[in-house]
Amino acid sequence: MSHDLDRQRALARLRASAIAPPTSRRDFLKLFGGAIGGLAAATTLPRHLLAQAESDLPQFGEIPQAWKGSGEVVVVTWGGIGTEMQRKAWFEPFEKLCGIKVVEAVGPDPAKVRAMVDTNTVQWDVCQIGRGTMLEFLKQGDYLEEIDYSLVEDGVTDNYRSSHGVDIVPFAQMLAYRTDAWASAPTGWADMWDLEKFPGGRSMPIATKGNIPELVGALIADGASAEGIYPLDIDRAVASLEKVKPGVVKWWESGAQPMQMLLDNEAPFVTAWNGRVHAAKMEGQPLEILWDGGSLISNAWLLPRGCPNLSNAQKFVAFSSSAVAQARYSKLLPYGFTNVDSADLLDEATLANLPTAPANMSRMVQYDFEWWAANRPEVIEKFNAMMLG
Amino acid sequence: MSLAEPLAPARLGALRARAATPAWLALPLIAFLGVFYLAPVAMMLARAAGEGDWAPLFAAIENQVAQRVFLGTLEIAFVCTLATLVIGYPLALFAALAPPWLARLAIAAVLAPFWSSILIRSYAWMVLLGREGLVNGALGGLGLIEAPIRMLNTTFAVYVGMIHIMLPFMILPIYAALKGIDGRLVQAAENLGASTASVLRHVILPLSLPGVAAGALVVFVLSIGFYVTPALLGGPRDMMVSMLIAQEVDLYNWDLASAYAGGLLVLTLLIVAVASRFVDLGKAMGGRK
C-alpha cells in the first residue's frame, strides 16, 4: 500500500491555483524509478494535526545486542506519507540505536522481486508486500528468505508469523465518502450500489497491480452476510459489480487515486485505505469512512532470496516488529500493529481509531490470504472481462 | 572557404563511388542495437514459443479480452492519426506559407509542449478536464452548462491528451514536405490560370502526400504503444495493449506478456511494411534518394 497525501494535497493546491501541473504520483514511480518518489516525499507540507513530536512517541528502552550491527539495509516501501512516518517510527531509531544505515527505495513490485531473484541481481533486502504474495512466491519456487524468529519479540504472536514473512501495518480497505455530497449520509455497501439515492461517481480498486478488487463489498451489496463470506462466490460478486459499473468513474490502481477523486469530487463515494482518509480528514477535508464490510488486510515484510544484507534485514524485521516500533507507527498513522504488547504503549483515543480496535474490527471482514492466493488468477480474468465488457 | 565548400561534396562523392554502400559506418550502431535491442527482443519473443508448442501465443490469440484490447488500441490509434491530420495539415500549410518570422513562431509553438514530459502534459490535462477543472469552470462561468460535464476518465480525455502529444509528429513532416515543394511549380500553375483552390488541390496536396504519409505512420505507430496518457486520463474501458502487457507482467504471466508484446511488434512491422509499399519512407523521413 502507498501513501502520498502530500502529493495529492500539492496536486489539489496546484489545481486550485491552476498555475502548473503537479508532480508525479506513486503509480508511475514504477515506471520512472524511485528517484522521483524520493524527491516528492522530501517536499512535505505542514501537517500539524498529524505530526507528532518525538516526545509524544513511545521510546525504545534497552536494545538487544542481537539487533545491532553495521553496514546498511535496503528497505523498500510505498513512498509518500507512509514512508515518511515509517522513517520517523522505524528507520531513524534503527539507524541510531542499532548502527545500521537504512537505504530507502520506493515501490516493491512483486514482479520486480521475481525478476531480480531470477537474474541473480537482488538489490532489495526488506520489502513491504503481503502474505498473499508470499504464498504465491512459495508456490512458484525459491524466491524468499526465511524469517529468523529467534530475533523477533514474543509479542508478535503466531497469527502474525509465517515462515517467510512477518505481518506489519494492518489496514482497512473500506468505504469512504464526501460528507457534503448528499443530504443524508450513506450507511454501507447497499448505498454504494444505489446510484439513484446517492448520485455521483464511484471508484473501486482494479483487480491487478497487487490490488484487492471489491468482491466482498459486491457480495454484501448483493445481500450476502459478512459473516462467513469466504470462500467468495466469484461469479455472484462479479455480477454484482456489473450493476454498479455504470457509476464507476475509474477502477483505481493505487491508493492515491481514490483520494484524489474524493478530494476533487470526481467520485464522492469510493473504496479507500483508512489511514489516508484519516489523514485527509485531519486536514479538514469533508470526508467520512464506513468500517462496515471493510476488509482488514495486513502487509508483510518479505526478504527476497539472496538479498545483499540478509543479516541486517533480519535485524530490521525484528526491530520494526517490536512493540515500541509498532506502537510508534500506529501513533503516527491510524494503522494497526502486529505486536500484541504495543497496545500497552498507546492511549485509548489512538487505539479506538485503529482498524484493529475491537469495535472497528468486529464490523469488518478479515482478508483471507489463502483464498486470494489460490483464486487470484480466476478473479482477475472474470473481473477484467466485466470491466472491459 | 570559397574553394573548400564546393570541394566537400565532390570528395564525399568520390568516397561514395569507391564504396557504393559504406556499410561499415553503421557497424557501431548495429553492434549496439544487436546487444541492447535485438538480443533482448529475441529472448523476449522466444518466451512466447512456450515449450515449442507456441501455447502462450495461442492463448494470447484466443483471449477475448485481448482481442477487444487490440481492436480498441487500433481504433484509438486510428482516430488519433485522423484527428492530428485534420488539425495538423492546415497548421503546417499556414507555417509553410507564412513569412519566415511567423513560420518560426508557429513551429516554435508546435515544438514548445514537445519539450515537456508526456507525464506532465497528461497531468496538466487532468487539471484542465476535471469536474472542478478549468474547462468546466469556464463553461459554467459562461452559463453554458448547469452541472459540470464528466470529461476526465473518459475516452474523450484520452483523445485530447494523445492528440495533443502527437500533433508535432504529424505537423513537422508535413511542414518539411510543403517547404520542399518547388515554388516554380506553383508559379507555373498560377500562370496557367489555376485558382488558389486548384493549386492547392492539384499541386500542393499531391506533393505533400509523402509528408502526410510519414506523419500518419509515425503517429499511428507511436499511438498503438501508448501507456501513460490513457492510464491517467482514460475511463474504465480504455485499456491499451501496453497496459495489457504490464498487467500480465504483474501476474507473472511473462510468456503471455511476451506473446502480446510480440503481437504488438508484428502489428507495427506490418504497418510499416504496408506503408513502405506506398511511400518512399527514406525520402519521407527527410533522407535523400
Side-chain angles (χ1 to χ4, degrees):
Chain A
M1 56 189 289
S2 54
H3 325 259
D4 35 2
L5 262 168
D6 26 287
R7 260 167 284 166
Q8 283 157 33
R9 240 171 270 128
L11 209 100
R13 198 183 263 193
L14 284 167
R15 207 164 274 149
S17 58
I19 38 162
T23 53
S24 74
R25 279 201 333 244
R26 197 282 284 175
D27 34 336
F28 285 101
L29 290 185
K30 283 181 196 169
L31 281 176
F32 292 91
I36 301 171
L39 277 176
T43 56
T44 53
L45 301 165
R47 197 180 294 109
H48 14 272
L49 282 164
L50 270 180
Q52 306 273 342
E54 178 61 36
S55 57
D56 292 338
L57 299 177
Q59 295 297 311
F60 290 94
E62 188 81 9
I63 298 290
Q65 275 305 319
W67 290 358
K68 295 183 182 170
S70 59
E72 60 178 38
V73 60
V74 182
V75 181
V76 197
T77 57
W78 286 107
I81 192 176
T83 298
E84 205 182 300
M85 295 305 175
Q86 285 168 339
R87 189 179 302 132
K88 226 166 167 176
W90 306 335
F91 304 167
E92 284 170 4
F94 183 65
E95 289 188 337
K96 209 168 101 193
L97 302 170
C98 300
I100 298 164
K101 188 175 159 37
V102 174
V103 178
E104 293 178 26
V106 173
D109 183 351
K112 206 167 166 189
V113 170
R114 195 178 141 152
M116 281 185 179
V117 175
D118 278 347
T119 55
N120 211 3
T121 52
V122 181
Q123 289 163 4
W124 295 342
D125 293 311
V126 182
C127 300
Q128 183 183 356
I129 308 182
R131 207 192 273 200
T133 306
M134 179 195 85
L135 293 173
E136 286 170 40
F137 271 140
L138 293 180
K139 260 193 284 177
Q140 288 160 356
D142 200 10
Y143 285 101
L144 298 171
E145 298 283 354
E146 276 188 53
I147 303 294
D148 180 0
Y149 280 105
S150 70
L151 299 176
V152 176
E153 285 184 0
D154 294 339
V156 181
T157 45
D158 282 347
N159 51 325
Y160 297 121
R161 296 178 178 213
S162 40
S163 59
H164 295 73
V166 179
D167 285 4
I168 41 151
V169 196
F171 67 100
Q173 176 173 304
M174 25 95 270
L175 289 171
Y177 63 93
R178 282 186 77 94
T179 51
D180 59 0
W182 311 285
S184 63
T187 55
W189 287 100
D191 292 340
M192 177 80 160
W193 256 245
D194 192 338
L195 296 167
E196 277 175 27
K197 199 169 156 205
F198 298 96
R202 304 289 196 264
S203 189
M204 287 184 272
I206 203 166
T208 48
K209 306 261 157 94
N211 288 301
I212 299 150
E214 267 314 338
L215 299 195
V216 168
L219 288 170
I220 294 174
D222 198 45
S225 162
E227 202 80 25
I229 204 162
Y230 281 99
L232 303 178
D233 182 339
I234 301 174
D235 291 319
R236 183 180 171 191
V238 170
S240 174
L241 284 168
E242 188 82 54
K243 290 181 202 155
V244 78
K245 195 172 85 169
V248 174
V249 178
K250 194 161 197 114
W251 302 99
W252 56 258
E253 294 187 0
S254 82
Q257 285 174 323
M259 294 313 297
Q260 177 246 317
M261 282 184 279
L262 269 180
L263 297 180
D264 290 350
N265 210 1
E266 288 290 328
F269 209 167
V270 304
T271 299
W273 294 330
N274 73 294
R276 286 164 180 265
V277 185
H278 175 81
K281 230 171 102 178
M282 290 286 108
E283 291 265 305
Q285 299 287 348
L287 304 179
E288 197 47 79
I289 58 179
L290 292 168
W291 295 106
D292 302 84
S295 283
L296 183 62
I297 311 164
S298 286
N299 285 162
W301 287 136
L302 305 185
L303 282 44
R305 167 71 68 190
C307 61
N309 307 291
L310 179 59
S311 119
N312 286 348
Q314 300 283 13
K315 289 169 186 170
F316 178 81
V317 167
F319 179 87
S320 59
S321 63
S322 67
V324 176
Q326 293 273 305
R328 284 167 69 92
Y329 194 61
S330 293
K331 182 91 184 157
L332 290 163
L333 273 181
Y335 288 125
F337 44 81
T338 55
N339 188 318
V340 292
D341 296 330
S342 297
D344 302 336
L345 304 169
L346 292 167
D347 54 277
E348 288 299 320
T350 304
L351 284 171
N353 209 17
L354 301 179
T356 43
N360 300 334
M361 211 161 116
S362 64
R363 295 159 71 180
M364 286 189 285
V365 175
Q366 186 81 40
Y367 178 80
D368 186 337
F369 297 99
E370 285 178 22
W371 186 89
W372 281 92
N375 292 286
R376 206 157 79 102
E378 188 187 339
V379 169
I380 287 168
E381 198 190 320
K382 290 181 172 167
F383 182 95
N384 280 350
M386 179 278 300
M387 180 176 79
L388 298 167
Chain B
M1 233 184 91
S2 55
L3 274 175
E5 261 181 276
L7 269 179
R11 277 204 201 125
L12 260 180
L15 200 70
R16 211 178 277 141
R18 226 178 299 148
T21 44
W24 53 269
L25 286 174
L27 269 181
L29 178 69
I30 291 170
F32 179 83
L33 285 180
V35 173
F36 293 106
Y37 179 70
L38 289 179
V41 166
M43 281 158 71
M44 187 265 297
L45 288 180
R47 293 193 80 116
E51 276 136 32
D53 53 0
W54 295 95
L57 187 65
F58 288 120
I61 293 169
E62 281 164 17
N63 189 315
Q64 291 193 344
V65 169
Q67 290 169 6
R68 214 174 303 148
V69 171
F70 266 88
L71 283 177
T73 304
L74 287 175
E75 186 188 326
I76 286 181
F78 181 75
V79 173
C80 279
T81 309
L82 208 64
T84 48
L85 178 61
V86 170
I87 300 169
Y89 195 96
L91 199 131
L93 190 61
F94 167 78
L97 297 176
W101 68 271
L102 196 56
R104 237 174 281 140
L105 198 69
I107 293 300
V110 169
L111 283 177
F114 201 47
W115 291 324
S116 54
S117 93
I118 288 184
L119 189 62
I120 287 176
R121 277 182 283 165
S122 300
Y123 271 115
W125 282 114
M126 287 175 74
V127 176
L128 292 171
L129 296 177
R131 276 183 73 83
E132 290 164 9
L134 279 184
V135 175
N136 266 319
L139 290 175
L142 291 170
L144 293 175
I145 52 169
E146 277 169 23
I149 308 173
R150 203 180 116 197
M151 288 180 284
L152 192 59
N153 302 317
T154 63
T155 313
F156 169 75
V158 176
Y159 283 136
V160 170
M162 283 181 66
I163 289 166
H164 174 225
I165 289 161
M166 284 296 148
L167 265 175
F169 293 100
M170 182 63 89
I171 293 172
L172 294 178
I174 297 179
Y175 174 72
L178 288 169
K179 285 305 269 187
I181 294 175
D182 191 335
R184 287 170 300 180
L185 292 174
V186 177
Q187 281 171 2
E190 281 169 347
N191 281 345
L192 293 168
S195 65
T196 308
S198 197
V199 170
L200 272 178
R201 208 177 135 220
H202 295 289
V203 180
I204 294 184
L205 189 62
L207 286 173
S208 66
L209 279 184
V212 171
L217 182 66
V218 171
V219 169
F220 194 88
V221 166
L222 287 178
S223 293
I224 55 177
F226 250 62
Y227 183 95
V228 173
T229 307
L232 280 179
L233 301 176
R237 293 185 56 179
D238 299 311
M239 197 183 206
M240 304 283 282
V241 176
S242 53
M243 293 148 96
L244 188 70
I245 295 170
Q247 174 187 305
E248 295 303 333
V249 169
D250 261 12
L251 298 175
Y252 314 113
N253 293 331
W254 294 355
D255 296 348
L256 193 59
S258 298
Y260 290 143
L264 195 60
L265 185 65
V266 168
L267 198 65
T268 309
L269 291 176
L270 265 178
I271 292 162
V272 174
V274 170
S276 70
R277 286 189 63 95
F278 297 101
V279 201
D280 182 343
L281 286 179
K283 196 173 166 193
M285 297 294 181
R288 270 177 49 172
K289 189 79 187 201

